[in-house]
Amino acid sequence: MSRALLIVDVQNDFCEGGSLAVAGGAELAGEISEYLDAHHGQFDHVVATQDWHIDPGTHFSEEPDFEDSWPRHCVAGTRGAELHPNLDPEYIQAYFRKGQFAAAYSGFEGLLAPEDDVPTGDRKAGAMPVSGAGTASGTEETGDSFAAMEDAIGLDDWLQSHDVEDIVVVGIATDHCVKATALDAIQAGYSVTVLRSLTVGIADDLDDAVAEMELGGVDVT
């Protein structure tokens, strides 16, 4: 049995200064890095998810309701979609991108990013390549992105191929993508723990999100 740490959406747009900032996001990125430095030996694998929007339809809105629609964020290939610079990518083995052409909250909707299109080692903000960053249906870039998605590997397939059975989830946001990812992991048959101290949420009161995860079988510690 292998154990994996899953880092959810610790991206610039979800941290202070981003277009959809969650309070405490930048500090959390550093805390996850410190946790990894101290505990990486407890995990066989470390992976991360990214919102990676190309043309997500009504997920973007000029008048968002902050439930089903949101301000533009994490547009593919932009600085906002990059990992926050406080998150050290040293131990991250694979990146899974979600939401290219529709809303996607769970990391289990993500697809494996190409190895030549992810951060490695020390990097400067704004340095991520912009491949696959088409912005409207029917463009050559969007067509290429659809073709690439057909051949991409999903998060569940990757975890199974690495014999992962136990997942620990951290990241942003507790009450949205962290919750959706943890519950989907349970449905997929994994043992799942969410480290609440290494997540931040949008709502002031996260008790309902925590209760929903616990009711679904997630161990929230």
Side-chain angles (χ1 to χ4, degrees):
M1 180 183 82
S2 293
R3 189 170 188 239
L5 180 70
L6 178 52
I7 304 169
V8 175
D9 296 2
V10 182
Q11 297 168 263
N12 286 322
D13 269 349
F14 294 140
C15 298
E16 288 81 354
S19 64
L20 193 54
V22 179
E27 182 178 1
L28 175 70
E31 290 173 347
I32 292 173
S33 292
E34 292 175 2
Y35 177 82
L36 267 172
D37 283 340
H39 301 284
H40 65 272
Q42 298 176 12
F43 299 96
D44 301 286
H45 307 287
V46 179
V47 300
T49 69
Q50 293 172 280
D51 256 14
W52 195 255
H53 297 307
I54 296 174
D55 184 14
T58 57
H59 187 59
F60 285 171
S61 174
E62 297 297 325
E63 298 180 354
D65 60 18
F66 296 93
E67 290 291 337
D68 299 311
S69 60
W70 306 86
R72 287 176 63 85
H73 61 276
C74 298
V75 173
T78 67
R79 183 182 183 279
E82 291 182 22
L83 300 180
H84 191 276
N86 289 353
L87 179 63
D88 187 347
E90 177 181 358
Y91 300 107
I92 301 175
Q93 296 170 255
Y95 298 80
F96 294 85
R97 293 171 174 170
K98 56 189 174 66
Q100 285 90 337
F101 300 103
Y105 296 91
S106 169
F108 282 81
E109 299 175 82
L111 299 173
L112 182 64
E115 289 186 7
D116 61 353
D117 195 20
V118 295
T120 56
D122 294 333
R123 65 183 178 86
K124 296 180 180 179
M128 180 172 284
V130 295
S131 62
T135 57
S137 348
T139 66
E140 181 179 348
E141 291 86 353
T142 300
D144 291 344
S145 296
F146 270 123
M149 288 170 64
E150 291 179 357
D151 297 327
I153 298 171
L155 176 58
D156 188 34
D157 291 333
W158 192 95
L159 293 172
Q160 288 190 41
S161 71
H162 289 79
D163 298 319
V164 172
E165 296 182 14
D166 184 14
I167 297 174
V168 176
V169 183
V170 300
I172 304 173
T174 315
D175 43 344
H176 288 275
C177 294
V178 168
K179 180 182 73 174
T181 299
L183 290 174
D184 272 3
I186 289 288
Q187 290 298 311
Y190 299 94
S191 173
V192 184
T193 301
V194 169
L195 301 182
R196 187 173 181 181
S197 65
L198 289 180
T199 71
V200 290
I202 294 174
D204 293 330
D205 185 351
L206 297 173
D207 288 348
D208 287 348
V210 170
E212 185 177 349
M213 286 189 282
E214 290 179 334
L215 185 63
V218 178
D219 182 15
V220 183
T221 61

